[in-house]
């Protein structure tokens, strides 16, 4: 018999994200969830780019134009993926509320703790 608490503990948001965005199971590719904070993850990803861009355009109007173009692209990505995440989350909640398999199968007692 399965331990439902173990099943619930297996949920990892990074793995769900990878599956939804890429259709991949992170574990099958040998990837482990990133334990760094969101701020650390952003800094690690952005630092090499900004250093490279500064080496190409040390100062002036060209640097400002490239920064503005890049930031506009990143902002559009953030907006789109945030909206998609909100829609996907809302749809998932609606589906869970409509189906509620625990209530329908007489497992109300199993669900009281969490």
């Amino acid at each position: 018999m399965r331990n439902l608490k173990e099943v619930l503990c297996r949920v990892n948001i990074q793995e769900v994200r990878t599956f939804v965005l890429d259709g991949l199971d992170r574990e099958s590719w040998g990837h482990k969830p990133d334990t760094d904070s969101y701020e650390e993850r952003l800094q690690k990803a952005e630092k090499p780019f900004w250093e490279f861009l500064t080496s190409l355009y040390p100062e002036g109007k060209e640097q400002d134009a490239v920064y503005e173009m890049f930031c506009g692209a990143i902002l559009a990505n953030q907006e789109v993926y945030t909206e998609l995440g909100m829609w996907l989350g809302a749809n998932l909640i609606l589906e869970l509320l409509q189906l509620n398999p625990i209530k329908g199968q007489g497992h109300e007692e199993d669900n009281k703790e969490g």
Side-chain angles (χ1 to χ4, degrees):
M1 184 166 164
R2 292 185 179 145
N3 182 338
L4 296 180
K5 288 182 183 180
E6 285 180 16
V7 172
L8 292 172
C9 289
R10 288 188 196 117
V11 174
N12 178 284
I13 196 162
Q14 292 178 24
E15 292 182 18
V16 172
R17 179 214 54 216
T18 302
F19 179 74
V20 171
L21 287 177
D22 304 321
L24 299 173
D25 174 12
R26 289 173 57 89
E27 227 172 82
S28 68
W29 288 83
H31 291 96
K32 300 214 182 313
D34 197 332
T35 57
D36 292 339
S37 71
Y38 289 135
E39 187 68 30
E40 291 168 331
R41 289 167 57 190
L42 289 172
Q43 286 176 357
K44 272 200 276 187
E46 291 173 359
K47 185 178 178 181
F49 172 78
W50 291 117
E51 289 173 352
F52 174 72
L53 197 57
T54 302
S55 72
L56 291 176
Y57 305 102
E59 57 185 61
K61 291 180 183 179
E62 284 181 330
Q63 184 188 59
D64 293 343
V66 172
Y67 280 12
E68 188 175 325
M69 185 177 17
F70 177 75
C71 290
I74 293 300
L75 182 60
N77 272 272
Q78 287 177 333
E79 290 171 347
V80 167
Y81 281 106
T82 298
E83 289 176 26
L84 281 171
M86 293 168 71
W87 280 113
L88 290 169
N91 284 339
L92 183 60
I93 289 169
L94 286 173
E95 183 177 341
L96 290 171
L97 290 173
Q98 289 171 359
L99 295 178
N100 197 353
I102 291 175
K103 184 178 179 183
Q105 295 183 18
H107 296 289
E108 292 85 357
E109 291 298 315
D110 292 341
N111 198 28
K112 282 186 181 177
E113 291 181 16

